[in-house]
Amino acid sequence: MTTPDSHARTTATPTATPIDREVDAVVIGSGPNGLVAANLLADAGWQVLVLEEQPRIGGAVASDGDVHEGYIHDTFSSFYPLAVASPTIRALGLEQHGLRWTSAPAAFGSPFASGDWALVHPDRDATADSLDKLCPGDGDAWLRMCRDWDAIGEQVIAALLTPFPPVRAGAAALARLPRVGGLDFVREMIAPMREVADRRFRGEAARMLLAANSAHADISMDGVGSTVMGWLLAMIGQDLGYPVPVGGAGAFASSMARRLESAGGRIVTDCRVTRVVVDAGRAVAVRTGAGEEVRVRQAVVADVSAPALYADLLAERDVPARIRRHLERFTWDYATIKVDWALSAPVPWATAPVLAPGTVHVAETIDELAVQGTQIAAGLVPSDPFLIVGQMAAADPTRAPADAESLWAYTHLPHDVRGDAGPDAISGRWDHDENERMADRMQMRIEKYAPGLSDRILSRRVLGPREMQARDANLVNGALNGGTANLHQQLVLRPVPGLGRAETPIKGLYLGSASAHPGGGVHGACGSNAARAALGHARLRRLVGAPRRVMDELRSGR
Ligand SMILES: Cc1cc2nc3c(=O)[nH]c(=O)nc-3n(C[C@H](O)[C@H](O)[C@H](O)COP(=O)(O)OP(=O)(O)OC[C@H]3O[C@@H](n4cnc5c(N)ncnc54)[C@H](O)[C@@H]3O)c2cc1C
């Protein structure tokens, strides 16, 4: 079953009319960051053209009906707590352009072999009660964490989602620090997740509610900086749930596209940009794969990965040697494999959770998460992969026929496979056979907690690292964060040391993808930072240009 405009727009046919010859701004790529940037530029009255390589819009925010008739599957991302918490995306008012959010009964949870579930209920007291039943004291510890969130959560989000350094938002967060324990809180946020989870909680259920969210990024459980992501996602989940767009992720992208078009912007699909043309240190045009050139009066925003921008789209002579040197050390986040299933009935969990969670984390201990991280770091395909699982019909019944389930799971892999920690001798070719063997391994992981799952499978689709990248060039081997989230490539070091902002060494060219600060996830901040930088520079040029124009007019006697 599909709902109107669920994924139809994201499978749009190529635009037949010729592309514009000159515009104020070209946005390369229609991922969420590209579409946010395009919207903000169009709001400022700029003539904006988005050029998208794929036949559909949305980048990693897309859905399709390819797995099984009557089912909608999100091709990549699914849950958008960061979008709902993002001031930029909230301010777009996408609900007026057709976007409707919905949520599963529980935001997220983890099953245990004992039959217990760790679950985030919509009501924090209910979460606390359920944790207390599993391990007395953990409920209070959860509520203490929620109180910290109440005191400083909004300010932390604002500081993370604004350009680096976050002067005003950072000051607001600093002012709140005394309420949450001052520097102890700062220390906790950058401390390794294992230490924080062990100190805050006594039971594995509460620990996993926190730690499994850290494992969405590629930071080791024992690594510096692993706590902040887990805390943020867990607390947003408790506060706002893990919302999904009614009808599929594509409906989210479509609403951004509709908003853009109503503001006068234009999107052309099936149009790969192959070159950013630079003249006298300024981006002046882009060239497409078909050989067309579009001149830009103001700016180019690149919603492409940092390596793609600096190594492919720009001519070597236009990239400072320093940047090229740094790029050699650019680190991708983990590779990814994703499996989609169309199920004839809901997942047959051995013990049904009291509320169905939209997101299910499959791993029982921090040790399991740590082992998976170590295996990947050693180039090994994980033996017992940590799975992030989406029960999409539980969150949004329009995704599948009544009483059925549209299920997916993904897990991470090394980019360069040196061996298989599991029994299948997967070599890293990631051809059909290896994809299927890995998908079997993932399926068996779920089946351990949901015996009989296989009997309910109507269809299965496997998107290995190559298939991901073929559908979105930014997802190199399926890397979903535009580069590692580890501290050595964050803040002023993202994407390479010394850049840290959307500005590039080329005037009028801005990096607006997840490769830029603050990184992966659908929050639109990278796109918004790029658009605001472009608008700010244009204002500055006008201000500087005005006296010059007056002088020129005086000189010429006009
Ligand atoms: C499997 C998976 C699951 C995820 N789950 C979640 C989730 O649940 N929640 C969440 O918040 N985040 C999730 N993410 C991460 C999130 O989707 C990304 O961080 C986000 O989409 C990044 O947005 P972006 O605009 O920077 O890039 P992208 O979304 O990758 O978009 C880039 C766009 O640019 C286009 N492009 C690239 N090169 C060119 C070119 N030369 N010319 C023209 N067009 C070009 C691409 O085709 C693409 O459309 C997930 C990602 C993946 C892969």
Side-chain angles (χ1 to χ4, degrees):
M1 183 205 327
T2 57
T3 55
D5 204 16
S6 56
H7 57 87
R9 174 58 210 264
T10 56
T11 53
T13 46
T15 309
T17 45
I19 60 174
D20 313 65
R21 289 280 147 255
E22 188 173 55
V23 292
D24 290 318
V26 164
V27 176
I28 308 171
S30 68
N33 282 312
L35 290 175
V36 164
N39 269 286
L40 297 183
L41 296 175
D43 286 352
W46 286 20
Q47 186 190 352
V48 181
L49 176 65
V50 180
L51 299 178
E52 167 56 52
E53 173 178 20
Q54 296 288 334
R56 50 147 196 99
I57 61 159
V61 178
S63 42
D64 63 74
D66 299 345
V67 178
H68 196 84
E69 201 186 330
Y71 289 71
I72 299 171
H73 280 83
D74 294 335
T75 322
F76 311 99
S77 62
S78 276
F79 294 97
Y80 300 110
L82 294 172
V84 174
S86 157
T88 300
I89 292 189
R90 277 208 309 264
L92 292 179
L94 295 172
E95 291 75 7
Q96 289 159 38
H97 298 270
L99 177 62
R100 281 189 297 139
W101 293 111
T102 184
S103 290
F108 59 91
S110 306
F112 291 84
S114 60
D116 292 333
W117 276 84
L119 271 188
V120 165
H121 296 242
D123 172 19
R124 62 173 66 170
D125 290 320
T127 308
D129 282 348
S130 70
L131 291 175
D132 261 337
K133 283 197 188 97
L134 296 172
C135 183
D138 276 357
D140 274 347
W142 184 260
L143 291 176
R144 270 198 298 282
M145 199 168 258
C146 293
R147 283 195 291 275
D148 286 351
W149 173 256
D150 294 340
I152 202 170
E154 199 181 315
Q155 288 71 24
V156 171
I157 288 179
L160 285 175
L161 299 188
T162 45
F164 190 80
V167 181
R168 204 180 314 157
L174 272 178
R176 294 284 180 129
L177 258 189
R179 301 187 195 185
V180 291
L183 286 178
D184 275 354
F185 178 81
V186 177
R187 182 192 179 282
E188 187 166 72
M189 286 298 112
I190 53 179
M193 171 50 80
R194 186 197 295 278
E195 184 198 311
V196 174
D198 283 358
R199 195 157 41 75
R200 287 252 182 185
F201 302 111
R202 291 194 310 117
E204 222 53 65
R207 285 178 184 153
M208 287 310 287
L209 286 186
L210 196 60
N213 277 299
S214 277
H216 284 232
D218 64 330
I219 313 179
S220 133
M221 288 295 121
D222 299 293
V224 171
S226 50
T227 296
V228 65
M229 170 68 99
W231 176 76
L232 204 68
L233 286 178
M235 290 296 104
I236 298 177
Q238 178 64 87
D239 207 15
L240 303 170
Y242 267 17
V244 305
V246 172
F252 183 10
S254 296
S255 69
M256 287 195 269
R258 267 195 300 273
R259 187 187 183 285
L260 172 64
E261 284 163 352
S262 69
R266 183 161 176 231
I267 306 174
V268 175
T269 52
D270 273 316
C271 184
R272 175 172 165 71
V273 171
T274 52
R275 175 67 76 217
V276 175
V277 182
V278 177
D279 185 24
R282 165 168 287 280
V284 293
V286 300
R287 206 167 294 141
T288 72
E292 294 164 297
E293 195 162 293
V294 184
R295 310 284 303 171
V296 292
R297 290 184 284 266
Q298 303 279 9
V300 174
V301 172
D303 181 16
V304 306
S305 73
L309 176 61
Y310 290 111
D312 300 337
L313 294 189
L314 286 165
E316 197 177 324
R317 64 173 179 278
D318 295 325
V319 182
R322 172 180 61 87
I323 304 283
R324 276 188 272 130
R325 241 188 356 263
H326 284 317
L327 266 180
E328 285 166 17
R329 291 188 315 217
F330 179 89
T331 311
W332 283 104
D333 46 308
Y334 300 147
T336 307
I337 183 168
K338 177 171 182 276
V339 186
D340 296 299
W341 295 270
L343 301 184
S344 59
V347 179
W349 298 110
T351 313
V354 289
L355 294 175
T359 301
V360 179
H361 296 127
V362 179
E364 295 202 23
T365 62
I366 292 182
D367 283 346
E368 270 184 48
L369 298 174
V371 167
Q372 143 130 345
T374 307
Q375 288 177 338
I376 294 177
L380 300 176
V381 176
S383 48
D384 299 291
F386 162 60
L387 303 182
I388 300 179
V389 179
Q391 305 194 98
M392 300 318 295
D396 170 15
T398 70
R399 308 293 183 96
D403 299 323
E405 184 53 279
S406 163
L407 188 76
W408 58 253
Y410 72 77
T411 193
H412 292 303
L413 304 165
H415 283 268
D416 297 310
V417 174
R418 274 175 252 153
D420 186 354
D424 301 307
I426 292 175
S427 68
R429 281 195 314 276
W430 299 121
D431 53 13
H432 175 77
D433 181 47
E434 292 203 342
N435 282 349
E436 290 294 326
R437 272 185 275 162
M438 191 63 196
D440 289 343
R441 191 179 300 180
M442 293 163 68
Q443 195 171 303
M444 273 157 56
R445 275 285 272 169
I446 305 179
E447 193 130 19
K448 178 178 160 195
Y449 300 93
L453 173 76
S454 304
D455 302 336
R456 299 183 175 192
I457 298 173
L458 301 174
S459 301
R460 177 170 100 173
R461 169 177 71 181
V462 187
L463 297 178
R466 292 179 203 286
E467 287 75 23
M468 295 260 212
Q469 190 172 337
R471 285 164 172 75
D472 178 345
N474 289 25
L475 308 176
V476 170
N477 287 328
L480 49 84
N481 282 327
T484 181
N486 275 287
L487 218 50
H488 67 271
Q489 202 168 284
Q490 286 289 34
L491 309 172
V492 74
L493 307 173
R494 191 171 189 89
V496 297
L499 290 185
R501 296 175 64 92
E503 288 89 336
T504 69
I506 290 112
K507 290 195 196 88
L509 174 63
Y510 303 87
L511 179 64
S513 74
S515 277
H517 172 75
V522 179
H523 41 63
C526 315
S528 129
N529 291 347
R532 288 182 210 286
L535 292 169
H537 289 145
R539 258 195 311 274
L540 206 64
R541 275 206 311 280
R542 267 201 314 278
L543 283 175
V544 173
R548 256 197 224 136
R549 273 196 303 278
V550 174
M551 289 300 288
D552 288 348
E553 282 172 18
L554 285 175
R555 264 192 225 112
S556 65
R558 269 182 280 152

